[in-house]
């Protein structure tokens, strides 16, 4: 051993190393879990896509056929007494088919969103449109919020950003989910994007309960959570911090007021330094 004269207490150093190992272990577990979820999602997306596409096509044919049938029934009955019952039944089927169409389109939109997340080819550094990732994140979360939480976007003019889109989507998802979980009852989430010199800034605000001053120093610590077991793992923000600051050389900060809400600022350089 070379020995470090600066080490005041080997015990403290050991403790620090032990903590570091624990942090890395927790991050590894989470990375494995995310990779497994990604693979699983890609499979599900594939399985759902084909039947949904076929239902949507059939639905279009049904709607067109009903339109024709109505014209035919109308023409046939022109001479004799009209049968309101037949027309009524046709109307009912038609409106049900229209609702089915909307339902299918919704499922398709969610599946498209999932696809953005599970895209395996996006593990490479590439130029990406951040708005695309943000939109699909919001689409995924909206099903969870129903009408209680409104979501607003205020998108600026952003250049393509050199990044790992898959990882950044994970950051947007974690922060948007946290924002939703911070809101009791009704509230609003706002996602704002701006160019800021040689970087882009994504700010995600919520009107939720805010972060207590005594927790502010700890929210990025792996394992810190104020949520019930099963709801929170306390890993979300630790992973976000690592993805934004270590992988993308950006910064992840927050501001807010307890009781009023919180804003997380994600700053990502437009270009990554060649190393
Ligand atoms: N938007 C937010 N509003 C209020 N508190 C937040 C918000 N985002 C994060 N927090 C706090 O930071 C903690 C850590 O967040 P995170 O690392 O994502 O873990 P988890 O969500 O699993 O608890 C949360 O438990 C919560 O106390
Ligand atoms: Mg979280």
């Amino acid at each position: 051993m070379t020995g470090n004269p600066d080490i005041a207490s080997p015990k403290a150093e050991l403790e620090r190393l032990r903590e570091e190992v624990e942090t890395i272990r927790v991050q590894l577990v989470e990375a494995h879990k995310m990779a497994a979820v990604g693979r699983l999602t890609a499979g599900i997306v594939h399985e759902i896509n084909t039947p949904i596409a076929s239902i949507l096509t059939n639905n279009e044919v049904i709607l067109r056929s009903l339109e024709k049938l109505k014209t035919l029934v109308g023409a046939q009955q022109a001479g004799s007494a009209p049968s309101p019952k037949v027309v009524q039944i046709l109307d009912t089927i038609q409106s049900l088919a229209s609702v089915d169409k909307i339902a299918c389109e919704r499922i398709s939109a969610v599946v498209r969103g999932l696809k953005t997340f599970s895209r395996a080819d996006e593990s490479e550094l590439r130029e990406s449109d951040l708005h695309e990732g943000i939109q699909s994140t919001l689409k995924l979360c909206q099903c969870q919020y129903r009408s209680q939480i409104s979501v607003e976007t205020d998108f600026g003019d952003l250049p393509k950003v050199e990044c790992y889109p898959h990882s950044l989507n994970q950051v947007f998802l974690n922060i948007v989910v946290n924002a939703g979980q911070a809101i009791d009852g009704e509230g609003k989430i706002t996602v704002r994007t701006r160019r800021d010199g040689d970087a882009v800034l994504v700010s995600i605000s919520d009107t939720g309960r805010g972060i207590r001053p005594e927790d502010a120093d700890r929210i990025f610590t792996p394992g810190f959570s104020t949520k019930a077991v099963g709801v929170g793992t306390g890993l979300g923000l630790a992973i976000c911090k690592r993805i934004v600051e270590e992988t993308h050389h950006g910064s992840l900060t927050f501001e807010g007021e307890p009781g009023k809400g919180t804003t997380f600022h994600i700053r990502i350089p437009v270009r990554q330094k060649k190393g």
Side-chain angles (χ1 to χ4, degrees), residues 32-42 118:
H32 271 123
K33 214 159 63 187
M34 285 307 295
V37 169
R39 277 195 300 277
L40 199 68
T41 311
S118 57

Side-chain angles (χ1 to χ4, degrees), residues 174-175 178-179 181-182 206 209-211 215 219 221 224-227 231-238 262 264:
N174 277 331
I175 294 178
N178 279 346
Q181 288 174 338
D206 65 70
R209 70 181 80 91
I211 294 169
D215 292 339
I219 61 162
T221 306
F224 175 77
S225 177
T226 53
K227 294 165 195 171
V231 178
T233 58
L235 293 175
L237 287 179
T262 314
F264 278 84

Side-chain angles (χ1 to χ4, degrees), residues 5 9 51 68 83 110 114 159 189 193 221 230 247:
S9 142
K68 274 188 201 146
S83 162
V110 172
L114 284 173
I189 298 174
T193 63
T221 306
T247 312

